[in-house]
Amino acid sequence: MLTRIDHIGIACHDLDTTVEFYRATYGFEVFHTEVNEEQGVREAMLKINETSDGGASYLQLLEPTREDSAVGKWLAKNGEGVHHIAFGTADVDADAADIRGKGVRVLYDEPRRGSMGSRITFLHPKDCHGVLTELVTSAAVESPEH
């Protein structure tokens, strides 16, 4: 069962400049940063709030580390902006299977490693009214890591 909005992914050309905008404009601070080589992105997670299920809601800022990454290709086509929405779930495997059974294409056969040790998969935007949708099961313990 989907429990919350885990994060909104925002593609950007310059991560540091974009982080500074969100810090200076809204007061959001970086909770976590990492480079995901598999996905070809450098990212910063800005925590917005805690949630009743023990998780949190974030803005995920994504800068491609290579032009041929999914985010790099998306940026080249669309420019900066909202890239995807992610919903939190206690069991990404079960929810992905359930949603697949309803005719929605799930992009990964098996969930992959996501931010902060989470497990993730994506749903095809053409099956979700034009919205790239991510399902996320957070790691057991969330802690700030930079």
Side-chain angles (χ1 to χ4, degrees):
M1 176 168 92
L2 304 180
T3 57
R4 62 191 156 85
I5 294 175
D6 184 84
H7 66 270
I8 305 294
I10 299 172
C12 62
H13 292 292
D14 184 319
L15 186 66
D16 297 326
T17 299
T18 307
V19 163
E20 179 55 25
F21 168 81
Y22 281 96
R23 189 202 60 72
T25 305
Y26 306 116
F28 298 153
E29 296 295 337
V30 173
F31 179 78
H32 175 85
T33 60
E34 71 180 81
V35 174
N36 186 320
E37 295 294 342
E38 180 184 1
Q39 294 181 21
V41 295
R42 185 168 79 105
E43 67 177 76
M45 297 294 271
L46 310 178
K47 185 186 274 186
I48 306 306
N49 67 320
E50 302 291 330
T51 62
S52 62
D53 67 358
S57 292
Y58 303 90
L59 286 180
Q60 179 187 45
L61 306 179
L62 300 160
E63 174 191 59
T65 58
R66 57 182 197 269
E67 291 179 12
D68 69 339
S69 70
V71 173
K73 291 176 186 175
W74 190 90
L75 261 173
K77 181 179 178 183
N78 301 292
E80 294 184 309
V82 175
H83 179 262
H84 67 274
I85 185 169
F87 294 109
T89 172
D91 189 343
V92 68
D93 298 277
D95 282 333
D98 180 58
I99 291 169
R100 181 182 279 124
K102 295 174 182 174
V104 174
R105 287 174 281 181
V106 178
L107 298 184
Y108 304 152
D109 290 331
E110 295 291 325
R112 297 182 182 178
R113 182 195 165 283
S115 301
M116 300 183 291
S118 64
R119 297 183 69 242
I120 65 166
T121 195
F122 285 90
L123 309 179
H124 200 291
K126 289 185 179 177
D127 297 343
C128 299
H129 297 268
V131 178
L132 179 61
T133 304
E134 182 178 4
L135 305 179
V136 178
T137 296
S138 298
V141 177
E142 292 186 17
S143 63
E145 296 175 24
H146 293 283

